[in-house]
Amino acid sequence: MARVALVTGGTRGIGAAISVALKNAGYTVAANYAGNDAAAEKFTAETGIPTYKWSVADYDACKTGIARVEADLGPVEVLVNNAGITRDAPFHKMTPEQWHEVIDTNLTGVFNMTHPIWPGMRDRKFGRVIIISSINGQKGQFAQVNYAASKAGDLGITKSLAQEGARFNITANAICPGYIATEMVMAVPDKVRESIIAQIPTGRLGEPEEVARCVVFLAADDAGFINGSTISANGGQFFV
């Protein structure tokens, strides 16, 4: 029986590529999304992957949503924490609301999703938790104090979960994408995008599918000795 994988923010951009790659690798996939019903409906129509709507920033909504997924498909054995938002502003102009919105989704959202699933993984002696962090969680970024803090915090969660889950055959690993050719990046002005590409040694943006292949690798049953690691998928732009 195929393992069940749940991908947050799984209907658009990097998340959509992850959902499709996992399905193609033989997993039974559920894609969570927060608000864009039209995009979710189109995604399901094109891929056959069921979608489930809730905000990862709401713990009770996560518990209820996960219960629905597991009732429909079976216990979640692979969790991909991909959902994330930005609310960019220079620090002196950043509002408490901008801070909390990003932290609540990108950082607390990882707790909200992983915490209800964790006991089942421990009981079954198997689990894969994969967290999509960011290059900007590694190096920081102008006007992204909130985002960089949340993504750096995700790396701390990863390392701690790896230690707690290891004896139960649960791994926790992170992926730090660089600049990827998603709708958000492609929507920036050409000059800005060109200046970004100029900083990437490979001379191009990454593709969502390149991040997705990292996820499929980490999700595999035979990736059990890779734990607490961070994969940097950034075209050589930044090294840790």
Side-chain angles (χ1 to χ4, degrees):
M1 190 173 177
R3 295 197 184 280
V4 175
L6 172 56
V7 182
T8 67
T11 64
R12 300 169 64 195
I14 292 173
I18 292 169
S19 295
V20 170
L22 286 169
K23 180 183 178 183
N24 290 342
Y27 294 84
T28 299
V29 180
N32 152 269
Y33 73 103
N36 193 325
D37 293 325
E41 290 170 7
K42 180 181 179 183
F43 175 79
T44 297
E46 291 176 349
T47 67
I49 297 171
T51 57
Y52 296 81
K53 182 179 181 180
W54 73 82
S55 169
V56 300
D58 183 332
Y59 184 82
D60 289 336
C62 290
K63 284 185 67 176
T64 300
I66 291 165
R68 284 172 45 217
V69 170
E70 295 195 324
D72 291 347
L73 305 177
V76 174
E77 296 181 293
V78 176
L79 172 63
V80 184
N81 286 300
N82 168 74
I85 62 171
T86 57
R87 298 290 184 268
D88 295 352
F91 186 62
H92 66 287
K93 295 182 178 181
M94 187 171 288
T95 66
E97 290 74 22
Q98 289 172 314
W99 170 266
H100 287 296
E101 283 182 29
V102 171
I103 295 297
D104 288 350
T105 296
N106 299 5
L107 182 62
T108 306
V110 173
F111 172 87
N112 292 345
M113 285 298 304
T114 310
H115 192 255
I117 290 173
W118 192 256
M121 289 182 170
R122 281 167 51 98
D123 290 343
R124 292 186 298 271
K125 301 290 192 295
F126 182 88
R128 299 285 183 263
V129 178
I130 301 162
I131 299 175
I132 309 301
S133 180
S134 168
I135 187 175
N136 292 339
Q138 296 174 304
K139 70 177 186 63
Q141 179 62 34
F142 182 88
Q144 284 198 331
V145 166
N146 49 4
Y147 184 81
S150 69
K151 293 300 186 178
D154 287 343
L155 297 179
I157 292 175
T158 300
K159 293 176 175 65
S160 299
L161 288 178
Q163 294 178 57
E164 292 195 26
R167 66 192 181 98
F168 299 98
N169 195 26
I170 304 170
T171 65
N173 293 287
I175 301 167
C176 286
Y179 288 92
I180 307 299
T182 60
E183 290 180 19
M184 180 177 67
V185 172
M186 299 307 292
V188 304
D190 289 345
K191 287 186 177 180
V192 175
R193 193 163 61 252
E194 288 168 7
S195 70
I196 291 171
I197 293 172
Q199 302 173 45
I200 305 173
T202 52
R204 65 175 178 86
L205 300 172
E207 295 295 333
E209 292 75 15
E210 292 179 296
V211 179
R213 285 194 287 273
C214 297
V215 172
V216 172
F217 167 68
L218 293 172
D221 282 25
D222 55 6
F225 203 61
I226 302 163
N227 200 10
S229 296
T230 300
I231 295 177
S232 294
N234 61 37
Q237 185 179 356
F238 184 77
F239 302 104
V240 176

